[in-house]
Amino acid sequence: MTDFAFEHRYSRQIRFRHLGAEGQARISRARVAVVGLGALGTASASQLARAGVGYLRLIDRDVVEPSNLQRQLLYTEDDARLAKPKAIAARDALAAANSDIEVEAVVDDLDAANAEQLLADVDVVIDGSDNFEVRYLINEVAVKHNLPWAYAGAVEAHGTSAFLRPGHTPCLVCLIGYGARVGHDTCDTVGVIAPIVQWMASFQVAEVLKFLAGREDALSDAILQADLWHTDVRLIRMGQPKPDCPCCARREFVALGAGRRALSVTFCGRQTIQVRPQHDASLSLDALAARLRPLGHVRASDALLRFETGDVALTVFPNGRALVHGTDDPARARALYAQYIGM
Amino acid sequence: MRIRLNGKEVVLPDGATVDDLVRHYGLDGEPVAIERNGQIVDREAFAGEVLAEGDVIEMARFVGGG
């Protein structure tokens, strides 16, 4: 008779001396959310489901495509033919691999409006996303609700991963500021091979299993950076959180705030922040130019207005969208918008 | 001056800063974390952080794809 009994099913994990029966019991009670079910997310979700993590929430809005099959190991040609939502296809594949656990599929983008609802009730978040807008959101929910999360990214044959714990390690903003600009390399532009993704996902899951099993002492507290083409591996100690970090020290949750605030901000690169009103406006650039002329240098056309004052400049469009140049601080960008354009 | 960058010896002009190093590798504006002699360097401090002979630098790119 086939024996799926708990002790048998997870026997190799229980026998691993650093986990044991107690570690396995903790893992089986744990709840984990996976954001993004591309190559990273399917790799980590698969390992977590098979490891017996009791509850998995799989979040992705996309559908399976043929170009995914080279590295996204949970999907089949049928999934691609039917253009199945990734969250559903992944849930079905994982349910077939482990019927002990509960897997919830969420076919949606993670955004400022739903991030807390989707992430705040789990023990750990796994980042399987492909962009920093989502990662800044995960980071903010993690800090706000004291949740650890596992970052990873990979392109070509190189990747980076880190397990970030609020209060213990730097947060994403401590490490890279708000400097992640749009226009960096993506898997679509420069390609990617499966081994680097599997490695980065494996590092994420190893750290998550340590944490879930109550073995924080074994966590690396390091950034793993690896290049499988040039066979180069680096481990960088993360040290302490930044005492003046806008996110984890001052608790300014700008990415989360974007969903509810009248002005949403996005980072457009070094020293440029886009500020956008929730509803398109219909600005008279002539009138605005007249208001701003006493305050600085103004150039205006039908399409846009450029206003320079002190160390900052604003480019304003008739629909109310503005680019604030000269700051990386979203709060300052909002304040400048409110100050000079009004809201 | 000579420093070690990600395990390899690199020769830099005297007075070079962390920001110069990041620019040299075309990573200005990219999400990178820099560790200098075991300490993470604040992103805002890159331009003011002057490197010294024998520094051990680790530079990690935060990669976007997934």
Side-chain angles (χ1 to χ4, degrees):
Chain A
M1 203 185 108
T2 316
D3 181 7
F4 287 116
F6 188 90
E7 295 74 18
H8 184 58
R9 172 168 208 136
Y10 302 112
S11 58
R12 302 308 191 268
Q13 238 160 239
I14 292 168
R15 208 164 292 163
F16 177 51
R17 63 197 165 95
H18 297 296
L19 289 177
E22 169 65 17
Q24 183 61 50
R26 284 168 176 248
I27 288 168
S28 295
R29 287 196 298 268
R31 299 164 59 84
V32 176
V34 180
V35 181
L37 291 156
L40 284 169
T42 50
S44 56
S46 180
Q47 292 188 20
L48 293 166
R50 288 169 189 276
V53 169
Y55 172 88
L56 287 176
R57 182 176 294 141
L58 310 178
I59 305 162
D60 196 300
R61 187 195 59 175
D62 284 343
V63 299
V64 180
E65 295 177 32
S67 68
N68 302 148
L69 300 178
Q70 159 254 1
R71 66 195 184 286
Q72 301 181 16
L73 305 191
L74 285 179
Y75 306 133
T76 64
E77 290 186 357
D78 273 346
D79 294 332
R81 269 188 214 102
L82 298 169
K84 259 200 200 174
K86 287 182 169 182
I88 305 279
R91 179 198 64 197
D92 293 349
L94 294 178
N98 192 346
S99 57
D100 274 359
I101 62 165
E102 187 184 344
V103 185
E104 183 193 358
V106 177
V107 184
D108 203 352
D109 260 338
L110 190 84
D111 62 25
N114 65 18
E116 287 185 83
Q117 184 195 331
L118 289 174
L119 303 182
D121 65 341
V122 298
D123 300 305
V124 176
V125 178
I126 295 244
D127 161 33
S129 77
D130 60 359
N131 69 83
F132 281 95
E133 197 174 343
V134 165
R135 291 183 179 116
Y136 284 125
L137 263 180
I138 296 173
N139 189 63
E140 288 189 4
V141 177
V143 167
K144 190 169 174 186
H145 296 275
N146 197 28
L147 293 174
W149 69 285
Y151 154 77
V155 289
E156 297 183 318
H158 64 90
T160 306
S161 181
F163 186 66
L164 304 176
R165 283 185 299 156
H168 296 275
T169 68
C171 78
L172 184 69
V173 175
C174 295
L175 291 170
I176 63 168
Y178 288 108
R181 65 180 175 192
V182 294
H184 50 71
D185 290 344
T186 70
C187 297
D188 299 275
T189 57
V190 297
V192 63
I193 59 171
I196 189 62
V197 186
Q198 294 287 320
W199 191 6
M200 292 301 110
S202 293
F203 181 76
Q204 288 178 294
V205 173
E207 298 294 277
V208 165
L209 290 179
K210 292 172 192 175
F211 176 79
L212 294 179
R215 294 302 310 273
E216 285 98 329
D217 58 304
L219 289 167
S220 69
D221 290 335
I223 302 164
L224 171 69
Q225 178 165 249
D227 184 330
L228 282 173
W229 205 258
H230 303 98
T231 324
D232 186 28
V233 184
R234 317 293 312 169
L235 261 186
I236 300 164
R237 301 269 148 224
M238 284 193 283
Q240 297 297 309
K242 267 176 61 176
D244 59 344
C245 172
C247 182
C248 70
R250 301 208 300 265
R251 301 180 75 80
E252 295 166 8
F253 301 126
V254 291
L256 276 175
R260 287 184 294 274
R261 295 203 189 183
L263 294 176
S264 66
V265 298
T266 44
F267 303 94
C268 301
R270 202 180 174 84
Q271 300 281 301
T272 300
I273 293 176
Q274 174 178 276
V275 181
R276 179 167 215 143
Q278 203 165 30
H279 305 291
D280 271 7
S282 171
L283 288 179
S284 159
L285 295 184
D286 284 345
L288 185 61
R291 283 208 300 278
L292 293 177
R293 248 178 217 113
L295 307 171
H297 181 68
V298 177
R299 275 177 296 146
S301 69
D302 289 339
L304 60 87
L305 176 149
R306 170 100 178 173
F307 171 61
E308 295 168 19
T309 182
D311 59 347
V312 295
L314 281 75
T315 304
V316 188
F317 301 90
N319 67 355
R321 184 169 72 91
L323 299 171
V324 180
H325 314 277
T327 180
D328 277 328
D329 178 356
R332 181 156 187 239
R334 274 206 187 89
L336 288 164
Y337 188 103
Q339 188 177 350
Y340 292 116
I341 303 169
M343 52 175 288
Chain B
M1 76 181 130
R2 288 165 204 278
I3 64 161
R4 283 193 86 75
L5 173 65
N6 289 2
K8 295 194 183 74
E9 192 173 276
V10 175
V11 178
L12 295 173
D14 286 349
T17 65
V18 169
D19 194 51
D20 296 332
L21 193 66
V22 170
R23 284 173 188 279
H24 178 72
Y25 287 93
L27 297 174
D28 48 310
E30 293 280 331
V32 289
I34 302 272
E35 184 194 70
R36 180 186 184 197
N37 302 326
Q39 295 287 321
I40 296 278
V41 181
D42 278 6
R43 194 178 177 85
E44 294 75 27
F46 282 5
E49 190 91 358
V50 181
L51 296 166
E53 177 78 26
D55 272 352
V56 177
I57 305 291
E58 296 287 342
M59 184 158 67
R61 281 180 76 176
F62 275 63
V63 181

